[in-house]
Amino acid sequence: MSDKFTEGQVVEGKVTGVQPYGAFVALDDEVQGLVHISEVTHGFVKDINEFLTVGDDVKVKILSIDEANNKYSLSIRATEEAPKQQEKPKQVKQTQPQAPKEEAGFNTLKDKLNEWIEQSEDRVKSFNKK
């Protein structure tokens, strides 16, 4: 392992490989680490290839060092300022105005049933008279 790198340190590196889950970044000739896809940028990354390609020079922060397994966990996102959260406008709860009971079309079926029965009986009577 290299003694020149420590957790929390921000260093320059070069992208040496890109996979769907992250990018490998060489910190020097001996040390290489992984930038997980979630550490590429603030926000959701669907396709890492839209952000990084082999050969890119990047600034990374060393998140953790696993000396036993020779693994460096890196972050590009940690070197960038987080975007300011836009305040969502407060939603005003809208209530439906109550229609007067007398208006046609707004009465319940139960309220209109007797009226319809009467209309139907009247039509039957007028039909039978013909």
Side-chain angles (χ1 to χ4, degrees):
M1 287 308 278
S2 175
D3 292 329
K4 60 183 169 182
F5 298 112
T6 59
E7 290 183 12
Q9 185 178 7
V10 176
V11 296
E12 292 286 328
K14 186 176 287 285
V15 177
T16 59
V18 178
Q19 295 295 322
Y21 54 84
F24 292 96
V25 176
L27 303 182
D28 64 14
D29 291 338
E30 300 170 1
V31 178
Q32 182 169 277
L34 175 68
V35 176
H36 187 268
I37 191 169
S38 65
E39 292 294 333
V40 171
T41 189
H42 296 278
F44 179 74
V45 176
K46 183 176 182 179
D47 183 3
I48 194 169
N49 294 298
E50 294 177 5
F51 295 89
L52 298 171
T53 56
V54 174
D56 286 351
D57 290 318
V58 292
K59 183 165 49 168
V60 295
K61 181 175 183 177
I62 301 172
L63 299 178
S64 65
I65 300 173
D66 181 352
E67 298 269 348
N69 295 309
N70 194 27
K71 292 186 178 182
Y72 282 67
S73 178
L74 309 173
S75 174
I76 297 170
R77 179 177 69 151
T79 66
E80 303 169 344
E81 187 174 326
K84 295 187 181 195
Q85 295 289 332
Q86 292 181 351
E87 286 190 32
K88 293 181 181 177
K90 291 183 180 180
Q91 292 183 350
V92 178
K93 187 175 181 180
Q94 296 180 352
T95 58
Q96 293 290 334
Q98 293 295 325
K101 284 280 189 183
E102 296 83 349
E103 283 188 46
F106 288 99
N107 294 337
T108 64
L109 291 175
K110 183 179 178 183
D111 293 340
K112 294 293 282 181
L113 187 58
N114 288 334
E115 182 181 336
W116 292 336
I117 290 172
E118 288 176 21
Q119 289 174 355
S120 178
E121 289 173 348
D122 289 344
R123 287 184 186 151
V124 169
K125 286 179 188 175
S126 67
F127 182 75
N128 286 337
K129 287 183 182 179
K130 291 183 181 178

